[in-house]
């Protein structure tokens, strides 16, 4: 195919890369890795055909296993066991981190004279830099760089 070759990203390594960036760049140690656990019962909405009425069904563990197997079998058939590339397909990956505050909002503002928005913005930039695999300055609009440099210089220094 004649498109620009894309880089291969190993999404299984993103959490470890995030942990490393948290250690280096999160001077407040406010960011924590977060585990997302799915419920035991899943809900599936499907329809028999294009004009069919959507139907909702709860799936217990065994039904989940069967549906996951059916989905993988379909993917295997569509790609001829991986021999065909999926053009224009998208993969959605969910990664979570939690920003923990030591103080309440009012205590941060009044007692500590700290702007919590700056702390959240720093956390957001650390996560975005990791996910997009870009240095923070490449993610920030030019007019904002001086402000970020002022309160989070570690984000602007080469990482």
């Amino acid at each position: 195919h004649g498109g620009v070759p894309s880089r291969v990203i190993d999404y299984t390594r993103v959490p470890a890369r995030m942990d490393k960036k948290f250690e280096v760049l999160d001077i407040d140690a406010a960011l924590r890795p977060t585990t997302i656990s799915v419920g035991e019962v899943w809900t599936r909405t499907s329809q028999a055909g294009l004009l069919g009425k959507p139907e909702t069904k709860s799936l217990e563990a065994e039904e989940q296993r069967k549906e996951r197997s059916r989905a993988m079998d379909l993917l295997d058939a569509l790609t001829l066991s991986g021999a065909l590339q999926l053009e224009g397909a998208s993969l959605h990956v969910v990664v979570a981190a939690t920003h923990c505050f030591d103080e309440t909002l009012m205590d941060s503002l009044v007692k500590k004279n700290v702007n919590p928005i700056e702390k959240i913005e720093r956390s957001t930039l650390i996560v975005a830099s990791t996910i997009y695999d870009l240095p923070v300055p490449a993610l920030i609009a030019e007019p904002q760089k001086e402000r970020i440099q002022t309160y989070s210089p570690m984000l602007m220094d080469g990482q």
Side-chain angles (χ1 to χ4, degrees):
H1 68 120
V4 177
S6 61
R7 222 180 40 178
V8 175
I9 299 171
D10 182 356
Y11 289 103
T12 62
R13 299 188 48 78
V14 169
R17 288 182 35 235
M18 282 178 61
D19 283 345
K20 281 185 182 176
K21 284 232 180 168
F22 294 171
E23 288 176 22
V24 173
L25 299 174
D26 182 22
I27 59 173
D28 300 325
L31 280 167
R32 301 280 187 272
T34 302
T35 301
I36 300 172
S37 299
V38 297
E40 290 182 25
V41 178
W42 296 0
T43 303
R44 178 188 68 196
T45 302
S46 61
Q47 57 191 66
L50 212 48
L51 301 175
K53 205 173 200 176
E55 295 179 14
T56 301
K57 180 181 179 187
S58 295
L59 302 176
E60 301 287 336
E62 182 58 26
E63 293 168 305
Q64 292 171 28
R65 188 193 62 71
K66 286 178 184 175
E67 289 297 321
R68 193 172 19 250
S69 180
R70 285 182 57 211
M72 290 300 159
D73 289 346
L74 176 60
L75 185 59
D76 194 43
L78 290 173
T79 63
L80 300 177
S81 299
L84 296 177
Q85 289 187 358
L86 294 174
E87 298 290 332
S90 59
L91 171 68
H92 299 267
V93 177
V94 178
V95 178
T98 301
H99 182 105
C100 302
F101 288 100
D102 292 332
E103 307 283 338
T104 66
L105 176 62
M106 291 309 293
D107 285 348
S108 293
L109 292 169
V110 178
K111 290 181 182 176
K112 302 282 187 178
N113 194 27
V114 170
N115 182 351
I117 302 299
E118 292 172 350
K119 306 289 186 179
I120 288 288
E121 187 173 46
R122 177 186 309 137
S123 295
T124 303
L125 288 169
I126 292 169
V127 171
S129 169
T130 306
I131 290 172
Y132 289 107
D133 198 21
L134 291 170
V136 169
L139 299 171
I140 303 172
E142 198 59 45
Q144 303 301 318
K145 288 184 179 180
E146 185 177 335
R147 181 178 58 80
I148 302 293
Q149 178 69 43
T150 301
Y151 74 84
S152 295
M154 76 292 295
L155 299 181
M156 304 299 280
D157 299 334
Q159 302 177 52

